[in-house]
Amino acid sequence: MFVLNVLPDPGQRIQALKDAATFARPGGHVVAVTYSPEEITRAAADGGWSIHHDGF
């Protein structure tokens, strides 16, 4: 499990997903899960999260 927003460059995030895909069996899948921007903004406001790169 990995949190992609800790990588400052969106290109690095894409590369991390590509690298993760190399561990999947042929025909397998890599799943990336995220909250909607609205859910993230609400949780950040409620939790007092600090900004980190382009996320929280």
Side-chain angles (χ1 to χ4, degrees):
M1 190 160 140
F2 185 74
V3 181
L4 291 172
N5 78 305
V6 300
L7 297 172
D9 177 13
Q12 291 176 312
R13 296 172 194 176
I14 292 168
Q15 188 60 53
L17 289 170
K18 288 179 178 179
D19 291 345
T22 67
F23 292 97
R25 291 185 219 168
H29 302 278
V30 172
V31 177
V33 179
T34 184
Y35 291 102
S36 72
E38 294 81 14
E39 289 174 304
I40 294 169
T41 300
R42 186 176 332 117
D46 292 346
W49 298 356
S50 58
I51 293 176
H52 182 77
H53 299 300
D54 62 348
F56 295 94

